Amino acid sequence: MHELGIVKHVIRTLHDVAEENGVSRIGSVTLEVGEVSGVVLEQLVDCWNYFREKDDLVRGAPLFVETIEAVTFCTACEKTYGTVAHGKTCPFCGSGETYLLTGSEFSIKQIEAE
Amino acid sequence: MKVIELKMTVTDSNDRDAETLRRELGERGIFLINLMSAPGSGKTTLISRTITDLAGRAKIAVMEADIASDVDAERISALGAESIQVHTDGMCHMDAGMTRAGLDGMDFSGGEIVFLENVGNLICPAEFDTGAHRNVMILSVPEGDDKPLKYPLMFQTSDALVITKMDAAPYFDFDLGAVIRRAKALNPGIRIFPVSAKTGEGMSEWESYILSEREDG
C-alpha cells in the first residue's frame, strides 16, 4: 500500500524537523495534498492513526489535510480547466497539449510543536 | 503551542538518504541501476540474458525487491550471480533506506554493476529515489504502446527505456514509433532500446549502454 510508505516517510521527516528545532512532542500535523497526487486520504489517515501510537514524538497527534485543486493549462488555447473533470484533454479546444499547473502536491505544510 | 511552517515535500528525508547512498556507492566503484516496470514485463529474463552475455566483461549482482516470495532471486542465483531478495512487507516501492539495507546484505569485491529489480509497479517507484545512478524503465510489447500516456512520471524519471519481447511484436498492435514519439515528448533525453532477450535482438546495444554509463559514473 502506497500510503503506508508515505506515512513512514512523513514521520521520518518529522523526526528530522523536531531535532533541528529542538521539539520533543508534536501536537498536530497539517499536510497539503493535491487532488491528483494519487494518495487515498482515508487510507492515509488510517495509516497515520496506526503509526502515531507507535511513536513518542507524534503520539495522539491529529493529522489535518488541506486539499489543493488540480488545474491543467492548455498550451493550444491558453485556458485552464479542472483536471479531475477533464483529464489531459482540453474541454475548450480538444487539444492534448496540456500540462498540470497544480494538484500533484504532497507536502508537510506545518506542525504544532508542544 | 508553537506553529512551525515547513512546506517540505514528504520525500525530503528520502532524497537526502538517496544522495548519500549514490555518493558512497560511487566511491566503492559500485554502479547501481534501478529497473522499474509493471509486473510480468520480463525484468528477470532481461537481467538473466544480460548476465550471460556480459560474463567475463562485467560482474553483475542483483537485488530482487518483491512484496513476498523469492522465485526471482532463485532464477538469478542459478546463473552464479550474487543476488539478494528483499521483501518490502506490503510496501509498493523501494526507497533509499531499504536499498541500503539490501546492499548491506550483499558481498561485493568492487566494480560490480548492481541491478535493483524494483517492485512491479509503474506509479510509486517513480516517486522515490533509491540512490541508483541510473533509472531504467522496462516496457514489454504486450502492455501496449499507450503506456507513456498513462504513466507519464515513470517515463520522465527514467534515463533509459528498454522495450522487451520485441519478438512478439507481430502478434500485437504495438506501434514502436508511437512509443518512441510519446516517450520522447515526455523526456527528450531518454535512451530507447527495443530488445528481445529470447532472440538476442537489440541486446548488444543495451549492454553497451550499461557499460558506457558505468564509465561515466
Coordinates of all heavy atoms in Angstrom, one line a residue, chain B residues 66-141:
Chain B
D66 N 10.5 -7.6 -3.8 CA 9.2 -8.1 -4.1 C 8.4 -7.9 -2.8 O 9.0 -7.9 -1.7 CB 9.1 -9.6 -4.5 CG 9.3 -9.7 -5.9 OD1 8.5 -9.2 -6.7 OD2 10.3 -10.4 -6.3
I67 N 7.1 -7.9 -2.9 CA 6.3 -7.9 -1.7 C 6.4 -9.2 -0.9 O 6.5 -9.2 0.3 CB 4.8 -7.6 -2.1 CG1 4.7 -6.1 -2.5 CG2 3.9 -7.9 -0.9 CD1 3.4 -5.7 -3.1
A68 N 6.6 -10.3 -1.6 CA 6.8 -11.6 -0.9 C 7.5 -12.5 -2.0 O 7.7 -12.1 -3.1 CB 5.5 -12.2 -0.5
S69 N 7.9 -13.7 -1.5 CA 8.4 -14.8 -2.4 C 9.9 -14.5 -2.8 O 10.4 -13.4 -2.8 CB 7.6 -15.0 -3.7 OG 8.2 -14.4 -4.8
D70 N 10.6 -15.6 -3.2 CA 11.9 -15.4 -3.7 C 12.2 -16.1 -5.0 O 13.3 -16.6 -5.3 CB 12.9 -15.8 -2.6 CG 12.7 -17.3 -2.1 OD1 11.8 -17.9 -2.7 OD2 13.5 -17.7 -1.2
V71 N 11.2 -16.3 -5.8 CA 11.3 -17.0 -7.1 C 12.3 -16.3 -8.0 O 13.1 -17.0 -8.7 CB 10.0 -17.3 -7.8 CG1 9.1 -18.3 -7.0 CG2 9.2 -16.0 -8.0
D72 N 12.3 -15.0 -8.0 CA 13.2 -14.3 -9.0 C 14.6 -14.5 -8.6 O 15.5 -14.7 -9.4 CB 12.8 -12.8 -9.0 CG 11.5 -12.6 -9.8 OD1 11.1 -13.5 -10.5 OD2 10.9 -11.5 -9.6
A73 N 14.9 -14.3 -7.2 CA 16.3 -14.5 -6.8 C 16.8 -15.8 -7.1 O 18.0 -16.0 -7.4 CB 16.4 -14.1 -5.3
E74 N 16.0 -16.9 -7.0 CA 16.4 -18.2 -7.3 C 16.9 -18.3 -8.7 O 17.9 -19.0 -9.1 CB 15.3 -19.2 -7.0 CG 15.1 -19.5 -5.5 CD 13.9 -20.4 -5.2 OE1 13.4 -21.0 -6.2 OE2 13.6 -20.5 -4.0
R75 N 16.1 -17.7 -9.7 CA 16.5 -17.7 -11.1 C 17.8 -17.1 -11.3 O 18.6 -17.6 -12.1 CB 15.4 -17.0 -11.9 CG 14.2 -17.8 -12.2 CD 13.1 -17.1 -12.9 NE 13.6 -16.7 -14.3 CZ 12.9 -15.8 -15.1 NH1 11.7 -15.3 -14.6 NH2 13.3 -15.5 -16.3
I76 N 18.1 -16.0 -10.6 CA 19.3 -15.2 -10.8 C 20.5 -16.0 -10.2 O 21.6 -16.1 -10.8 CB 19.2 -13.8 -10.2 CG1 18.2 -13.0 -10.9 CG2 20.6 -13.1 -10.2 CD1 18.4 -12.7 -12.3
S77 N 20.3 -16.6 -9.0 CA 21.5 -17.2 -8.4 C 21.8 -18.5 -9.1 O 23.0 -19.0 -9.1 CB 21.3 -17.5 -6.9 OG 20.1 -18.2 -6.7
A78 N 20.8 -19.1 -9.8 CA 21.1 -20.3 -10.7 C 22.2 -19.9 -11.7 O 22.8 -20.8 -12.3 CB 19.8 -20.8 -11.3
L79 N 22.3 -18.6 -12.1 CA 23.3 -18.2 -13.1 C 24.6 -17.9 -12.5 O 25.6 -17.6 -13.2 CB 22.8 -16.9 -13.8 CG 21.5 -17.1 -14.6 CD1 21.0 -15.7 -15.0 CD2 21.7 -17.9 -15.8
G80 N 24.7 -18.1 -11.2 CA 26.0 -17.9 -10.5 C 26.3 -16.4 -10.1 O 27.4 -16.1 -9.7
A81 N 25.3 -15.5 -10.3 CA 25.5 -14.1 -9.9 C 25.1 -13.9 -8.5 O 24.2 -14.6 -7.9 CB 24.6 -13.2 -10.8
E82 N 25.8 -12.9 -7.8 CA 25.4 -12.6 -6.5 C 24.0 -12.0 -6.5 O 23.7 -11.1 -7.3 CB 26.5 -11.5 -6.0 CG 26.1 -10.8 -4.7 CD 26.3 -11.7 -3.4 OE1 27.0 -12.8 -3.6 OE2 25.9 -11.3 -2.4
S83 N 23.2 -12.5 -5.6 CA 21.8 -11.9 -5.6 C 21.3 -11.9 -4.2 O 21.7 -12.7 -3.3 CB 20.9 -12.7 -6.5 OG 20.6 -14.0 -5.9
I84 N 20.3 -11.0 -3.9 CA 19.6 -11.0 -2.7 C 18.2 -10.7 -2.9 O 17.8 -10.0 -3.9 CB 20.3 -9.9 -1.7 CG1 19.8 -10.1 -0.3 CG2 20.0 -8.5 -2.2 CD1 20.6 -9.3 0.7
Q85 N 17.3 -11.2 -2.1 CA 15.9 -11.0 -2.2 C 15.5 -10.0 -1.0 O 15.8 -10.3 0.1 CB 15.1 -12.3 -2.0 CG 13.6 -12.1 -2.1 CD 13.1 -11.9 -3.5 OE1 13.5 -12.6 -4.4 NE2 12.3 -10.9 -3.7
V86 N 14.9 -8.9 -1.4 CA 14.4 -8.0 -0.4 C 12.9 -8.1 -0.4 O 12.2 -8.0 -1.4 CB 14.8 -6.6 -0.7 CG1 14.3 -5.6 0.3 CG2 16.3 -6.5 -0.8
H87 N 12.3 -8.3 0.8 CA 10.9 -8.2 0.9 C 10.4 -6.9 1.5 O 10.9 -6.4 2.5 CB 10.4 -9.3 1.9 CG 10.4 -10.7 1.3 ND1 10.3 -11.9 2.0 CD2 10.5 -11.1 0.0 CE1 10.4 -12.9 1.2 NE2 10.5 -12.4 -0.1
T88 N 9.5 -6.3 0.8 CA 9.1 -4.9 1.2 C 7.9 -5.0 2.2 O 7.4 -3.9 2.6 CB 8.7 -4.1 -0.1 OG1 7.6 -4.8 -0.7 CG2 9.8 -4.0 -1.0
D89 N 7.5 -6.2 2.5 CA 6.4 -6.3 3.5 C 5.2 -5.4 3.2 O 4.7 -4.7 4.0 CB 6.9 -5.9 4.9 CG 7.6 -7.1 5.6 OD1 7.4 -8.2 5.1 OD2 8.4 -6.8 6.5
G90 N 4.7 -5.6 2.0 CA 3.5 -4.9 1.6 C 3.7 -3.5 1.0 O 2.8 -3.0 0.4
M91 N 4.9 -3.0 1.1 CA 5.2 -1.6 0.5 C 5.3 -1.8 -1.0 O 5.8 -2.8 -1.5 CB 6.5 -1.1 1.0 CG 6.4 -0.8 2.5 SD 6.2 0.9 2.9 CE 7.8 1.5 2.6
C92 N 4.8 -0.8 -1.7 CA 4.7 -0.9 -3.2 C 5.9 -0.3 -3.9 O 5.9 -0.3 -5.1 CB 3.5 -0.2 -3.6 SG 3.4 1.5 -3.0
H93 N 7.0 0.1 -3.2 CA 8.1 0.6 -3.8 C 9.3 0.5 -2.9 O 9.2 0.2 -1.7 CB 7.9 2.1 -4.1 CG 7.7 2.9 -2.8 ND1 6.5 3.2 -2.4 CD2 8.6 3.4 -1.9 CE1 6.6 3.9 -1.2 NE2 7.9 4.0 -0.9
M94 N 10.5 0.6 -3.5 CA 11.8 0.7 -2.7 C 12.1 2.1 -2.4 O 12.0 2.9 -3.3 CB 12.9 0.0 -3.5 CG 12.8 -1.5 -3.6 SD 13.1 -2.3 -2.1 CE 14.9 -2.2 -1.9
D95 N 12.7 2.4 -1.3 CA 13.2 3.7 -1.0 C 14.7 3.6 -0.7 O 15.2 2.4 -0.7 CB 12.5 4.5 0.1 CG 12.5 3.7 1.4 OD1 13.5 3.0 1.7 OD2 11.6 4.0 2.3
A96 N 15.4 4.7 -0.5 CA 16.8 4.6 -0.3 C 17.3 3.8 0.9 O 18.2 3.1 0.9 CB 17.4 6.1 -0.2
G97 N 16.5 3.9 2.0 CA 16.9 3.2 3.2 C 16.8 1.7 3.0 O 17.6 0.9 3.4
M98 N 15.7 1.3 2.3 CA 15.6 -0.2 2.0 C 16.6 -0.7 1.1 O 17.1 -1.8 1.2 CB 14.2 -0.4 1.4 CG 13.0 -0.2 2.4 SD 11.5 0.2 1.6 CE 11.0 -1.4 1.1
T99 N 17.0 0.2 0.1 CA 18.0 -0.2 -0.9 C 19.4 -0.4 -0.1 O 20.1 -1.4 -0.4 CB 18.1 0.9 -2.0 OG1 16.9 1.0 -2.6 CG2 19.1 0.4 -3.0
R100 N 19.7 0.5 0.8 CA 20.9 0.5 1.5 C 20.9 -0.8 2.4 O 21.9 -1.6 2.4 CB 21.0 1.7 2.5 CG 22.3 1.6 3.4 CD 22.3 2.7 4.3 NE 22.6 4.0 3.7 CZ 23.8 4.4 3.4 NH1 24.9 3.6 3.6 NH2 24.0 5.6 2.8
A101 N 19.8 -1.1 3.0 CA 19.7 -2.4 3.8 C 20.0 -3.6 3.0 O 20.7 -4.5 3.4 CB 18.4 -2.4 4.5
G102 N 19.4 -3.6 1.8 CA 19.6 -4.8 0.9 C 21.1 -4.9 0.4 O 21.7 -6.0 0.5
L103 N 21.7 -3.8 0.1 CA 23.1 -3.8 -0.4 C 24.0 -4.2 0.8 O 25.0 -4.9 0.5 CB 23.5 -2.3 -0.8 CG 22.8 -1.9 -2.1 CD1 23.0 -0.4 -2.3 CD2 23.4 -2.6 -3.3
D104 N 23.7 -3.8 2.0 CA 24.5 -4.2 3.2 C 24.5 -5.7 3.3 O 25.5 -6.3 3.9 CB 24.0 -3.6 4.5 CG 24.3 -2.1 4.6 OD1 25.2 -1.7 3.8 OD2 23.7 -1.4 5.4
G105 N 23.5 -6.4 2.8 CA 23.5 -7.9 2.9 C 24.2 -8.6 1.8 O 24.1 -9.8 1.7
M106 N 24.8 -7.9 0.9 CA 25.5 -8.5 -0.3 C 27.0 -8.4 -0.2 O 27.5 -7.6 0.5 CB 25.0 -7.8 -1.6 CG 23.5 -7.8 -1.8 SD 23.0 -6.8 -3.2 CE 23.3 -8.0 -4.6
D107 N 27.7 -9.4 -0.8 CA 29.1 -9.4 -0.8 C 29.6 -8.8 -2.1 O 29.3 -9.3 -3.2 CB 29.6 -10.9 -0.7 CG 29.4 -11.4 0.6 OD1 29.6 -10.7 1.6 OD2 29.1 -12.6 0.8
F108 N 30.4 -7.7 -2.0 CA 31.0 -7.1 -3.2 C 32.5 -7.1 -3.1 O 33.1 -6.9 -2.0 CB 30.5 -5.6 -3.3 CG 29.1 -5.4 -3.4 CD1 28.3 -4.8 -2.5 CD2 28.4 -5.9 -4.6 CE1 26.9 -4.6 -2.7 CE2 27.1 -5.7 -4.8 CZ 26.3 -5.1 -3.8
S109 N 33.1 -7.3 -4.3 CA 34.6 -7.2 -4.3 C 35.0 -5.9 -4.9 O 36.2 -5.6 -5.0 CB 35.1 -8.4 -5.1 OG 34.5 -8.5 -6.3
G110 N 34.0 -5.1 -5.4 CA 34.4 -3.8 -6.1 C 34.1 -3.9 -7.6 O 34.4 -5.0 -8.2
G111 N 33.7 -2.9 -8.2 CA 33.5 -2.8 -9.6 C 32.2 -3.5 -10.1 O 32.0 -3.6 -11.3
E112 N 31.3 -3.9 -9.2 CA 30.1 -4.5 -9.6 C 29.1 -3.5 -10.3 O 29.0 -2.4 -9.9 CB 29.4 -5.2 -8.4 CG 29.9 -6.5 -8.0 CD 31.0 -6.4 -7.1 OE1 31.5 -5.3 -6.8 OE2 31.5 -7.5 -6.6
I113 N 28.3 -4.1 -11.2 CA 27.1 -3.4 -11.6 C 25.9 -4.1 -10.9 O 25.8 -5.3 -11.0 CB 26.9 -3.6 -13.2 CG1 28.0 -2.8 -13.9 CG2 25.5 -3.0 -13.6 CD1 28.0 -3.1 -15.4
V114 N 25.2 -3.3 -10.2 CA 24.1 -3.9 -9.4 C 22.7 -3.5 -10.0 O 22.5 -2.3 -10.2 CB 24.1 -3.5 -7.9 CG1 23.0 -4.2 -7.2 CG2 25.4 -3.8 -7.3
F115 N 21.9 -4.5 -10.4 CA 20.6 -4.2 -10.8 C 19.6 -4.3 -9.6 O 19.6 -5.3 -8.9 CB 20.1 -5.3 -11.9 CG 20.7 -5.1 -13.2 CD1 21.5 -6.1 -13.7 CD2 20.5 -3.9 -14.0 CE1 22.1 -5.9 -15.0 CE2 21.0 -3.8 -15.2 CZ 21.8 -4.8 -15.7
L116 N 18.9 -3.2 -9.4 CA 17.8 -3.3 -8.4 C 16.5 -3.5 -9.1 O 16.1 -2.7 -9.9 CB 17.8 -2.0 -7.6 CG 16.5 -1.7 -6.8 CD1 16.2 -2.8 -5.8 CD2 16.5 -0.3 -6.1
E117 N 16.0 -4.7 -9.0 CA 14.7 -5.0 -9.6 C 13.6 -4.5 -8.7 O 13.3 -5.2 -7.7 CB 14.6 -6.5 -9.9 CG 13.5 -6.9 -10.9 CD 13.5 -8.3 -11.2 OE1 14.5 -9.0 -11.3 OE2 12.3 -8.8 -11.4
N118 N 13.1 -3.4 -9.0 CA 12.1 -2.7 -8.1 C 10.8 -3.5 -8.1 O 10.6 -4.3 -9.0 CB 11.9 -1.3 -8.6 CG 11.6 -0.3 -7.4 OD1 10.8 -0.6 -6.6 ND2 12.3 0.8 -7.4
V119 N 9.9 -3.2 -7.2 CA 8.6 -3.8 -7.2 C 7.8 -3.5 -8.5 O 7.9 -2.4 -9.0 CB 7.8 -3.3 -6.0 CG1 6.4 -4.0 -5.9 CG2 8.6 -3.5 -4.7
G120 N 7.2 -4.6 -9.0 CA 6.4 -4.4 -10.2 C 5.3 -3.4 -10.1 O 4.3 -3.8 -9.5
N121 N 5.5 -2.2 -10.6 CA 4.5 -1.1 -10.3 C 5.0 0.1 -11.1 O 6.2 0.4 -11.1 CB 4.6 -0.9 -8.8 CG 3.7 0.3 -8.3 OD1 3.3 1.1 -9.1 ND2 3.6 0.3 -7.0
L122 N 4.1 0.8 -11.8 CA 4.6 1.9 -12.6 C 4.3 3.3 -12.0 O 4.5 4.3 -12.6 CB 3.9 1.9 -14.0 CG 4.4 0.8 -14.9 CD1 3.6 0.8 -16.2 CD2 5.9 0.9 -15.2
I123 N 3.8 3.3 -10.7 CA 3.4 4.5 -10.1 C 4.5 5.0 -9.0 O 5.3 5.8 -9.3 CB 2.0 4.5 -9.6 CG1 1.1 4.0 -10.7 CG2 1.6 5.8 -9.0 CD1 -0.3 3.7 -10.2
C124 N 4.4 4.3 -7.9 CA 5.2 4.8 -6.8 C 6.7 4.7 -6.9 O 7.4 5.6 -6.5 CB 4.8 4.2 -5.4 SG 3.3 3.4 -5.5
P125 N 7.2 3.6 -7.6 CA 8.7 3.6 -7.7 C 9.3 4.8 -8.4 O 10.4 5.2 -8.1 CB 8.9 2.3 -8.5 CG 7.8 1.4 -8.2 CD 6.6 2.4 -8.0
A126 N 8.4 5.5 -9.2 CA 8.9 6.7 -9.9 C 9.0 7.9 -8.9 O 9.7 8.9 -9.2 CB 8.0 7.1 -11.0
E127 N 8.4 7.8 -7.8 CA 8.3 8.9 -6.9 C 9.4 8.9 -5.8 O 9.7 9.9 -5.1 CB 7.0 9.0 -6.2 CG 5.8 9.3 -7.2 CD 4.5 9.1 -6.5 OE1 4.4 9.0 -5.3 OE2 3.5 9.0 -7.3
F128 N 10.1 7.7 -5.6 CA 11.0 7.6 -4.6 C 12.4 7.3 -5.1 O 12.6 6.2 -5.8 CB 10.6 6.4 -3.6 CG 9.4 6.8 -2.8 CD1 8.1 6.7 -3.2 CD2 9.6 7.5 -1.5 CE1 7.0 7.1 -2.5 CE2 8.5 7.9 -0.8 CZ 7.2 7.7 -1.2
D129 N 13.4 8.2 -4.9 CA 14.7 8.0 -5.3 C 15.4 6.9 -4.5 O 15.3 6.9 -3.3 CB 15.5 9.3 -5.1 CG 16.9 9.3 -5.7 OD1 17.4 8.3 -6.0 OD2 17.4 10.4 -5.9
T130 N 15.9 5.8 -5.2 CA 16.5 4.7 -4.4 C 18.0 4.9 -4.2 O 18.6 4.1 -3.5 CB 16.4 3.4 -5.3 OG1 17.0 3.7 -6.6 CG2 14.9 3.0 -5.5
G131 N 18.6 6.0 -4.8 CA 20.0 6.2 -4.7 C 20.8 5.6 -5.9 O 22.0 5.5 -5.9
A132 N 20.0 5.1 -6.9 CA 20.6 4.5 -8.0 C 21.3 5.5 -8.9 O 20.9 6.7 -8.9 CB 19.6 3.7 -8.9
H133 N 22.3 5.1 -9.7 CA 23.0 6.0 -10.6 C 22.2 6.2 -11.9 O 22.3 7.3 -12.5 CB 24.4 5.5 -11.0 CG 25.3 5.3 -9.7 ND1 25.4 4.2 -9.0 CD2 26.0 6.3 -9.1 CE1 26.2 4.4 -8.0 NE2 26.6 5.7 -8.0
R134 N 21.4 5.2 -12.3 CA 20.5 5.3 -13.5 C 19.2 4.7 -13.2 O 19.2 3.6 -12.5 CB 21.1 4.7 -14.7 CG 22.4 5.3 -15.2 CD 22.3 6.7 -15.8 NE 23.5 7.1 -16.4 CZ 24.5 7.6 -15.6 NH1 24.4 7.8 -14.3 NH2 25.6 8.0 -16.2
N135 N 18.2 5.3 -13.7 CA 16.8 4.7 -13.6 C 16.4 4.2 -15.0 O 16.5 4.9 -16.0 CB 15.8 5.7 -13.2 CG 16.0 6.1 -11.7 OD1 16.1 5.3 -10.8 ND2 16.1 7.4 -11.5
V136 N 16.0 2.9 -15.1 CA 15.7 2.3 -16.3 C 14.3 1.8 -16.2 O 13.9 1.1 -15.3 CB 16.7 1.2 -16.7 CG1 16.2 0.5 -18.0 CG2 18.1 1.8 -16.9
M137 N 13.4 2.1 -17.2 CA 12.1 1.6 -17.2 C 12.0 0.5 -18.3 O 12.7 0.6 -19.3 CB 11.1 2.7 -17.6 CG 9.7 2.1 -17.7 SD 8.5 3.3 -18.3 CE 7.1 2.2 -18.5
I138 N 11.3 -0.6 -18.0 CA 11.1 -1.7 -18.9 C 9.6 -1.7 -19.3 O 8.8 -1.7 -18.4 CB 11.6 -3.0 -18.3 CG1 13.0 -2.9 -18.0 CG2 11.3 -4.2 -19.2 CD1 13.5 -4.1 -17.2
L139 N 9.4 -1.7 -20.6 CA 8.0 -1.8 -21.1 C 8.0 -3.0 -22.1 O 8.8 -3.1 -23.0 CB 7.7 -0.5 -21.8 CG 6.4 -0.5 -22.6 CD1 5.2 -0.6 -21.7 CD2 6.3 0.7 -23.5
S140 N 7.1 -3.9 -21.9 CA 7.0 -5.1 -22.8 C 5.9 -4.8 -23.8 O 4.9 -4.2 -23.6 CB 6.7 -6.4 -22.0 OG 5.5 -6.3 -21.4
V141 N 6.2 -5.4 -25.0 CA 5.3 -5.2 -26.1 C 3.8 -5.5 -25.8 O 2.9 -4.7 -26.1 CB 5.8 -6.1 -27.3 CG1 4.7 -6.3 -28.4 CG2 7.0 -5.4 -27.9

